Amino acid sequence: MSEQVKVSLLGATGSIGSSTISILKQNCADMPEFKVVSLTAQNSVQELAKLAIETNAEFAAIGNENKYQELKDLLAGTGIECASGETGLVDAAARQCDTLVSAITGAAALRPTLEGIKQGAKIALANKESIVCAGVLFLSEAKKYNATLLPVDSEHNAIFQVLDNHKRVEKLILTASGGPFRTSTIDEMREATPEQAISHPNWSMGAKISVDSATMMNKSLELIEASYLFNTPEEKIDVLIHPQSIVHSLVSYDDGSVLAQLGMPDMRTPISYALAWPNRMPVPGLERLDLGRIGSLSFETPDDARFPAVSLARKALTLGAWAPNVINAVNEIAVDAFLNNVIGFMDITRTTEKLLDRFASDEFGAMTDPNSFDDVFELDGLARKLALEAIKA
Ligand code: NAD
Ligand code: MG
């Protein structure tokens, strides 16, 4: 392949961001030449400027407006344009590109990702929160503008790779490592510190998703993500604990066949798949899967008592599209409070469940599904406000 592929990267300084940059910088003869259009970050202004210069980007945007002058100074004389704040992030995504990699953490990715959708780009979607909070609206927007959604989340990327006949699918089976507390007791989990929660056994990831993996809220968000992305009801999506994180997910068919995608736990594989799609590209530095050396793979059913987050996702999907929006927003607030030592580990899911129940109660009358992105942002804001109040109470 010799064509040039223009790529913008939202969340360039994060874990997915740096894996993406390493792929964009690869120089192999038989792969497309990547041209970096925009890069964004929230606070890491020096890292952002460094990456923008290294990749010869056209545009860099920093979310935190207080860091704008520093970004400007760091990029002076380079010819790289820059901006800040939410409008800066949106402008970064609106620049013409072939592929937009959405790797910002949280629902904050929604507005800029929609901008990429509006220009009909391929969306390499690492961020799961945007599809969880906006669901069907997000998908219809992609359809309206002819944007292709390419899942980067490893489980969804695996399913995307092995989904060969949608009509004959019996079940989607999402694998989960079980996180750092897979074998811990409830008492140990109650005492868990942020440091323990973010030390994931297999994957190196940002703090928020690491805590989500520890509570299994990550699998909860992924179940919702899978339900929307693959238009599959929750009862046809199973969750299976697989501590080695080698089988990234499976699809079972009506004829008894089960197809799975396997690989080392390294996000460069799904990222490269999304960047090269519909082709594949080489990823040279990546450790190859050696099943003979690994020896055995194991599987367990999840323990609902210690990890109630997965049933919360099922409940939310049953309640309606407003409910995933609520649980995502409350979870973001609760994870932040946990990381700042304001609430305990087990309080994260408890707070989320309490708020979901409150929204489903008579206090809010009959909740209706959002009709517009404004509705999504409004409910997201209200859920965050009430979650903060509940945590402070
Ligand atoms: P990270 O914390 O390492 O990086 C997040 C990036 O987003 C950084 O560049 C940061 O500056 C930026 N950012 C954070 N908050 C922001 C905000 N409010 N506004 C604008 N920019 C903001 O996170 P990560 O682990 O790279 O994860 C990014 C996304 O990808 C998440 O949605 C996560 O669920 C998803 N994901 C990550 C992995 C992984 O292995 N890390 C795997 C699957 C999915
Ligand atoms: Mg995942």
Side-chain angles (χ1 to χ4, degrees), residues 96-222:
Q96 198 270 317
C97 67
D98 300 301
T99 301
L100 178 81
V101 182
S102 174
I104 284 174
T105 291
L110 181 55
R111 271 201 182 90
T113 306
L114 287 174
E115 218 42 53
I117 286 181
K118 275 191 195 142
Q119 56 158 311
K122 286 182 198 150
I123 309 293
L125 191 66
N127 175 279
K128 58 197 87 187
E129 293 91 343
S130 49
I131 192 160
V132 169
C133 68
V136 173
L137 288 172
F138 189 86
L139 294 173
S140 346
E141 197 78 348
K143 200 165 173 199
K144 176 172 163 194
Y145 291 100
N146 219 6
T148 310
L149 299 179
L150 300 164
V152 168
D153 209 350
S154 57
E155 297 76 3
H156 308 73
N157 185 270
I159 291 170
F160 189 74
Q161 291 195 41
V162 298
L163 200 53
D164 76 339
N165 184 341
H166 214 286
K167 273 196 205 141
R168 293 287 167 215
V169 169
E170 201 170 55
K171 285 249 160 112
L172 305 180
I173 303 155
L174 296 172
T175 51
S177 70
F181 306 131
R182 181 176 62 88
T183 57
S184 306
T185 63
I186 265 202
D187 286 339
E188 287 165 343
M189 288 165 74
R190 269 191 207 109
E191 302 301 316
T193 64
E195 292 69 29
Q196 290 167 328
I198 59 176
S199 46
H200 195 278
N202 305 335
W203 300 93
S204 154
M205 311 181 286
K208 195 262 177 179
I209 183 178
S210 296
V211 175
D212 284 348
S213 299
T215 55
M216 285 195 69
M217 183 54 87
N218 185 46
K219 219 42 60 179
S220 169
L221 300 176
E222 288 184 357

Side-chain angles (χ1 to χ4, degrees), residues 107 111 133 325-326 328-330 333 355 359 373-389:
R111 271 201 182 90
C133 68
N325 193 7
V326 166
N328 179 66
V330 177
I333 296 294
L355 265 290
F359 273 96
F373 289 105
D374 283 344
D375 290 350
V376 171
F377 292 122
E378 196 182 316
L379 181 56
D380 174 274
L382 178 62
R384 280 169 202 265
K385 181 173 160 274
L386 297 182
L388 275 172
E389 284 171 12

